[in-house]
Amino acid sequence: AQSVTQLDSHVSVSEGTPVLLRCNYSSSYSPSLFWYVQHPNKGLQLLLKYTSAATLVKGINGFEAEFKKSETSFHLTKPSAHMSDAAEYFCVVSVGGSQGNLIFGKGTKLSVKP
Amino acid sequence: NAGVTQTPKFQVLKTGQSMTLQCAQDMNHNSMYWYRQDPGMGLRLIYYSASEGTTDKGEVPNGYNVSRLNKREFSLRLESAAPSQTSVYFCASSELYSHNEQFFGPGTRLTVL
């Protein structure tokens, strides 16, 4: 069975410092993995996705994530945080098959201090 | 191109009342989904429709019914609302295969008193 664990429920950084949001997954086969972002009172927007191509995936707004099969991790990083990055971030794994169902982590709330 | 639209944006119900949440997508996607989002729980799948004419239960289907009206529209019905159904509901759509991203609507914030 597939599952995903976000290791931090809340991360706080200062503007201009690096961001690291941690995610571990469990999957019985090679998974598809996603990071979504949700700004307050908004819907979810895809940041990036991994689908068994390059292990380092670049997304929007300067975010990237690295798929590490040996560590079953898919951590999200950004070199320099911006105030507009304050949001909730979800790590997501695909169930697989043709139905496309997704399993969401519980989310990490990112706060950015000026 | 509106993407995924949901109506209403907000709703307050009394316990026992019924209502239908509407969702439509204009991206010609085959698959559609209904999720609920509760604090600290992420998103949990209620029902999904892999293609027009089919629907299946997700992780938390109890108390809900769905209808895939056509390829564009997928509605979620609460027959007898309960306070435990107070949540934010998101509709999403995608192409058929697991590596394709899901596109989300703006959500419906439902309060059941």
Side-chain angles (χ1 to χ4, degrees), chain B residues 13 17-21 33-38 43-48 55-67 74-90 108-112:
Chain B
L13 293 178
Q17 288 185 317
S18 62
M19 78 162 295
T20 299
L21 283 64
Y33 312 83
W34 275 106
Y35 294 90
R36 60 178 288 171
Q37 183 180 27
D38 302 293
L43 273 71
R44 293 181 291 168
L45 183 66
I46 305 171
Y47 271 92
Y48 66 97
T55 61
D56 286 286
K57 294 177 180 179
E59 180 185 353
V60 288
N62 291 345
Y64 305 95
N65 286 299
V66 290
S67 296
F74 188 38
S75 62
L76 178 72
R77 182 161 178 84
L78 287 70
E79 290 291 352
S80 178
S84 60
Q85 295 177 304
T86 293
S87 188
V88 181
Y89 291 86
F90 288 98
T108 294
R109 190 173 295 273
L110 175 67
T111 301
V112 183

Side-chain angles (χ1 to χ4, degrees), chain A residues 16-107:
Chain A
T17 64
V19 176
L20 170 63
L21 305 183
R22 298 182 295 163
C23 173
N24 286 355
Y25 70 91
S26 172
S27 178
S28 52
Y29 57 90
S30 184
S32 294
L33 292 159
F34 308 81
W35 277 97
Y36 280 83
V37 60
Q38 184 181 30
H39 287 93
N41 300 313
K42 300 289 187 185
L44 281 80
Q45 180 185 18
L46 181 73
L47 270 182
L48 49 81
K49 64 180 179 182
Y50 166 78
T51 57
S52 74
T55 56
L56 183 61
V57 182
K58 293 188 185 299
I60 61 171
N61 300 332
F63 284 94
E64 62 182 38
E66 187 171 8
F67 174 72
K68 292 187 176 180
K69 186 174 181 180
S70 60
E71 299 175 11
T72 61
S73 69
F74 190 56
H75 300 335
L76 182 70
T77 61
K78 183 174 180 178
S80 177
H82 191 272
M83 295 297 291
S84 61
D85 295 328
E88 190 154 23
Y89 293 79
F90 294 95
C91 183
V92 182
V93 64
S94 173
V95 166
S98 62
Q99 65 206 34
N101 290 3
L102 302 178
I103 304 294
F104 282 76
K106 290 183 168 29

